Amino acid sequence: MAYDVSPTARTLMVLELIQNSPGITAEQLGDKLGVSERAARRYVAILREADIPIESVRGPYGGYRVGRGLRLPPLMFSPTEALGLVMAVLEGPRGAADPVEDALGKIVRVLPEAVARSTDAIRRVPARGPDPGARTPDPEITAALVSHSADARRVTIGYRRHQDEWSMDVDPWAVVVRRGRWYLLCWSHAKDARRVLRVDKITKVEAQPESFEPPADLDPLAAVEEHLALGWRYPIEVEIDAPLADAACWIPRSMGRLEPIDENRTRLLASTDEPDWYAAHLAEIRAPFRIIGGPELLAAAQFLAKRLHAASTEPLDDPSTDVPG
């Protein structure tokens, strides 16, 4: 510990040490600060004078700990802890009136500038809903991707899939959270195409000198959802007898891409690994539609139609016959 550290800084260090190591003794505090045990006790007294509830625990395993009081003591976060906290909040439900969102804003405002800049950038990542089983990526890698995206800086990333790992140069357009899964929407220079990558599979991020210009009309969340609706095993094409605006109200972007055929008809292009699930969702469309492409989906829709027809033609039990007397 440097001897030119101010008394105020040492007092805050004492608080951090007690928060991180409940039960720490005055002797241990002195050793970590490079001061005498008596000086360490003096710093504890200063904290108490500031109405921070520092409790003393007696006995062979006693020491100091932060108790519960009327005033919340200052909180100490490392950069990784702060980033992890923001990412955890993003993975949960969010809303304009969410008290957690308000509390997070207060925390960001008191963080050191360098940490606050990264956490605030992550806080503004587009997000939608939690998904059980989603994996939280490394906070430092996530922060780097968000930072370089905000600066429009090309990066080289390491990417791992199964047992293979390789490097690629990408323009990181945006980081998006969708149902608790973190995605990087980017332009891959190796594939010369748009890509959506799992952030938890990215192993490194290295900034490059080149900059980039993202698409002017980019909607990151919409782009990721449309991408995730394509590329599955069974292709799908459906014609809907409704204008594009109406079809968009019934069909979420995660089910595929909508494009107008004319003023009164819309085409749905998608793919799926679960035709039965997809057919059930198509039944929610509030307009006539036809399955143009996808024999697997057509078979699933026909099977669903038979089940619904059978359910609607079987006689229902008369509840009155079960009433005694």
Side-chain angles (χ1 to χ4, degrees), residues 21-46:
S21 304
I24 191 171
T25 65
E27 180 181 1
Q28 292 170 328
L29 287 172
D31 290 341
K32 290 183 177 295
L33 293 173
V35 300
S36 66
E37 181 177 342
R38 181 178 178 182
R41 293 183 186 277
R42 188 163 61 247
Y43 293 129
V44 172
I46 293 173

Side-chain angles (χ1 to χ4, degrees), residues 2 47 60 66 91 99 153 212 249 260 282 287 323:
L47 292 172
V66 179
E91 291 170 1
R153 180 71 57 189
F212 65 87
C249 296
L282 286 180
V323 179

Side-chain angles (χ1 to χ4, degrees), residues 156-295:
T156 299
I157 63 172
Y159 199 73
R160 181 186 295 119
R161 180 179 294 168
H162 305 301
Q163 302 300 319
D164 299 326
E165 183 173 343
W166 63 94
S167 295
M168 64 179 87
D169 289 341
V170 301
D171 295 341
W173 288 351
V175 175
V176 172
V177 183
R178 182 181 181 276
R179 304 196 183 282
R181 298 186 185 275
W182 292 72
Y183 297 97
L184 174 65
L185 175 64
C186 63
W187 182 266
S188 169
H189 290 274
K191 298 292 186 180
D192 195 28
R194 186 178 71 179
R195 287 290 182 266
V196 174
L197 306 175
R198 287 266 298 274
V199 177
D200 61 290
K201 296 181 180 295
I202 296 177
T203 58
K204 67 175 183 179
V205 180
E206 297 177 358
Q208 301 299 326
E210 296 86 357
S211 59
F212 65 87
E213 186 72 28
D217 57 348
L218 181 66
D219 182 339
L221 185 56
V224 168
E225 290 190 328
E226 288 179 0
H227 179 91
L228 295 177
L230 301 170
W232 301 103
R233 186 184 309 174
Y234 305 119
I236 292 170
E237 181 178 352
V238 178
E239 287 188 1
I240 305 166
D241 293 340
L244 177 62
D246 292 344
C249 296
W250 307 323
I251 302 171
R253 289 188 294 253
S254 57
M255 283 191 65
R257 185 174 71 248
L258 294 172
E259 57 184 37
I261 299 175
D262 53 38
E263 292 183 356
N264 299 310
R265 294 184 301 155
T266 302
R267 179 180 291 108
L268 169 63
L269 297 173
S271 61
T272 185
D273 277 354
E274 302 179 43
D276 293 336
W277 173 88
Y278 206 97
H281 279 72
L282 286 180
E284 299 176 6
I285 297 176
R286 302 176 187 176
F289 64 89
R290 291 166 297 284
I291 298 173
I292 304 300

